[in-house]
Amino acid sequence: MILSLPATAMGFALSVQISALSWILTTQYGLDIHEVGLVWAAGPIAGILGQVIVGIISDNVWFWNGRRRPFILIGGVLAGMMLLALPNIDIVSSSLGLSGLLGVAIAVALTLDLSINVSFNPTRSIIADVTPEGEERTKGYTWMQTVSGSFGVLAYAIGAVWGNYVLIYFGAALVLVLSIIPPFFITEPKSLTLDHNPKFESFGLAAILMNIKPLWGFLIYDIYAMGLQISGIKTEHYWAEIIAAIVTLGLIIQTVLAKEQEGQPTNQTGFAKVLAAHSFSWVGVQTMFVFIFAFLQDKMPGIDDDQLGKIIAMSFLVLSAIAAFFPALVLEPIAKRIGRVKVHTYCIASMAVSYFLVVLFGESKVALYVIMALLGIGWSSIISLPFAIMSEKVEQSRMGLYMGLFNLSVVLPQLLVSLGVGLFVSKIADKSLVFQISAISLALSAIVWTQVKEGK
């Protein structure tokens, strides 16, 4: 239970961000769809830098009587402070003498995401550090999600009943408490099992790039799109998007067809397959998180800003309610019988079908909430089982590093959504495109997961 609380703190901060960020940027500060996408792009950038670097460092340091504890404490305090800044971006901007809100919003979002990412890697790695491989580790990650998900339900309930401002201030206090106190009650092992040959200690940029080969297409496009944003260059063609899509599909097909290695400290092909499958899941999920407000504004034109915020909060409340109890009470027992990879594949496939249902019936609030419950099945698996699957394909002594690399299969797709998908969504009149993209992405993810080999 205590082991789950630091991850719960970061999960709650993320829930507040998901529920309130797009809403507050559009209703309070008047940013348009594309600008909202740019603000959300700050998070993936923070994740690329934060989780990999913190993972490498936390594998090799020991201070404040822990290797993961210091980063949990630092990230938690910063995340709480940035949540307090979120509804006061205009005050922060005027205090600094700045005229543009967009730059300040990006800075606050970047710091919030960097804080969450500084802590997220250690809160997940610490579970692998203190649990043995197999059923115990699966139980650790599924219960992590059950506890974290329960608080996520609380977050969306607060937003739905009392509004997002109450949620933000309550969230800031909770994040501070759960990230500062519980780490002092978790005993970390001072030394990790050394699986690799000390002769090959170096793990440089080239090795990192080879480990994330399925994600090269995402990385190339993200660098290109970010360069356009920084330079202010406008393009009327989609050649870069087409090339990036071809590269991504080619690399992922190559990865899927390769045979997984056995008997080695790190199953690099198995790890690469997990990256490929997980990346498509996050393209779909992040598209929903960032642009559901645009879909609702298009399909429910009669609602005001306050109603929009509450519908979004209620939708994610339903999603999180299912995700709260499903991992430990449903997914774990089934995984013991048929395996984690099969369970996860079925959950992802159900999510793809559910996204298509939103396209067909999402104009009704009742139908939307029912379908969100179905989506919760897949969401509960995405945020629990892949961590256990991935952790048994890599060296245990480099868990922080590989957890950081694994996070690239989340943040690179997130950045693609902010920079690429946001551009398409802003130009297409029918916002059903949001959930069409989500459905296709989850379907591709399910196909790739069928090629991942079951672990121990």
Side-chain angles (χ1 to χ4, degrees):
M1 177 70 173
I2 292 178
L3 194 61
S4 302
L5 294 181
T8 298
M10 294 304 104
F12 198 92
L14 190 59
S15 295
V16 174
Q17 185 184 40
I18 290 169
S19 181
L21 183 59
S22 292
W23 172 82
I24 202 169
L25 292 176
T26 54
T27 60
Q28 182 171 329
Y29 302 119
L31 273 62
D32 64 27
I33 293 175
H34 188 48
E35 290 172 328
V36 170
L38 291 179
V39 174
W40 274 91
I45 294 171
I48 292 169
L49 298 173
Q51 292 217 29
V52 177
I53 294 172
V54 169
I56 294 172
I57 295 173
S58 66
D59 281 340
N60 297 284
V61 299
W62 184 269
F63 64 101
W64 295 353
N65 206 29
R67 66 170 41 82
R68 317 295 184 192
R69 178 185 296 166
F71 301 98
I72 295 172
L73 295 174
I74 294 169
V77 170
L78 286 174
M81 292 173 62
M82 288 306 103
L83 285 176
L84 290 175
L86 193 58
N88 299 294
I89 291 174
D90 52 345
I91 297 175
V92 174
S93 179
S94 60
S95 299
L96 295 174
L98 301 174
S99 57
L101 287 175
L102 181 59
V104 177
I106 290 175
V108 171
L110 179 61
T111 308
L112 173 61
D113 271 293
L114 184 59
S115 306
I116 293 172
N117 280 287
V118 162
S119 290
F120 244 143
N121 184 314
T123 63
R124 291 162 175 168
S125 297
I126 199 171
I127 294 174
D129 290 346
V130 302
T131 58
E133 293 184 5
E135 290 184 10
E136 285 301 310
R137 185 166 298 172
T138 301
K139 185 180 293 185
Y141 281 111
T142 53
W143 275 103
M144 172 199 77
Q145 178 48 35
T146 294
V147 176
S148 179
S150 298
F151 276 87
V153 172
L154 175 63
Y156 297 122
I158 291 172
V161 176
W162 291 292
N164 282 327
Y165 289 112
V166 174
L167 170 62
I168 290 169
Y169 288 114
F170 178 83
L174 186 71
V175 167
L176 287 171
V177 171
L178 294 186
S179 60
I180 293 175
I181 298 174
F184 290 101
F185 294 90
I186 299 172
T187 303
E188 298 182 52
K190 194 163 187 178
S191 60
L192 298 174
T193 304
L194 188 67
D195 297 323
H196 59 279
N197 190 332
K199 194 178 187 178
F200 302 102
E201 283 288 337
S202 176
F203 203 100
L205 179 61
I208 289 174
L209 288 174
M210 290 307 299
N211 271 274
I212 64 167
K213 190 175 180 181
L215 305 179
W216 284 359
F218 291 104
L219 180 61
I220 291 168
Y221 179 76
D222 290 345
I223 293 172
Y224 161 80
M226 187 59 69
L228 290 183
Q229 291 296 332
I230 293 173
S231 64
I233 297 174
K234 303 291 183 182
T235 61
E236 298 298 328
H237 62 77
Y238 298 103
W239 286 112
E241 286 78 4
I242 294 170
I243 293 171
I246 293 171
V247 169
T248 299
L249 289 174
L251 291 171
I252 287 178
I253 289 171
Q254 182 185 47
T255 300
V256 166
L257 295 178
K259 185 177 180 181
E260 293 192 29
Q261 305 106 329
E262 295 181 0
Q264 298 183 20
T266 295
N267 178 350
Q268 289 187 337
T269 303
F271 178 68
K273 288 184 178 183
V274 172
L275 291 183
H278 202 53
S279 65
F280 279 124
S281 296
W282 271 97
V283 170
V285 170
Q286 187 72 1
T287 299
M288 173 187 68
F289 284 152
V290 179
F291 300 114
I292 187 174
F293 79 94
F295 173 83
L296 293 176
Q297 286 175 329
D298 180 38
K299 303 304 177 184
M300 302 179 186
I303 60 175
D304 59 28
D305 291 342
D306 185 59
Q307 289 174 312
L308 173 64
K310 289 187 176 181
I311 291 172
I312 292 174
M314 182 60 72
S315 297
F316 291 143
L317 168 61
V318 174
L319 184 81
S320 298
I322 300 298
F325 71 84
F326 234 73
L329 301 183
V330 179
L331 299 185
E332 182 192 345
I334 298 176
K336 286 181 181 179
R337 298 183 61 184
I338 67 172
R340 288 168 294 193
V341 175
K342 279 188 178 179
V343 170
H344 186 61
T345 303
Y346 296 151
C347 289
I348 294 299
S350 75
M351 205 172 192
V353 173
S354 299
Y355 276 133
F356 277 120
L357 292 177
V358 176
V359 174
L360 296 175
F361 306 109
E363 296 180 6
S364 162
K365 283 196 292 185
V366 174
L368 179 65
Y369 298 152
V370 171
I371 298 169
M372 278 291 175
L374 297 176
L375 287 169
I377 297 172
W379 178 235
S380 69
S381 188
I382 286 175
I383 50 184
S384 58
L385 292 182
F387 297 101
I389 295 169
M390 181 280 298
S391 70
E392 295 184 3
K393 293 185 180 292
V394 301
E395 291 182 53
Q396 301 305 294
S397 59
R398 283 177 166 163
M399 187 59 65
L401 166 65
Y402 281 105
M403 196 68 73
L405 295 181
F406 176 67
N407 185 61
L408 294 180
S409 67
V410 177
V411 297
L412 291 177
Q414 285 180 331
L415 198 54
L416 171 73
V417 169
S418 293
L419 298 174
V421 174
L423 193 60
F424 286 117
V425 171
S426 65
K427 291 183 177 181
I428 302 298
D430 185 1
K431 303 308 180 187
S432 294
L433 177 68
V434 171
F435 287 100
Q436 291 170 2
I437 292 171
S438 296
I440 293 170
S441 299
L442 269 294
L444 291 172
S445 178
I447 292 170
V448 179
W449 273 111
T450 62
Q451 302 303 307
V452 177
K453 188 174 181 181
E454 188 68 57
K456 301 172 184 177

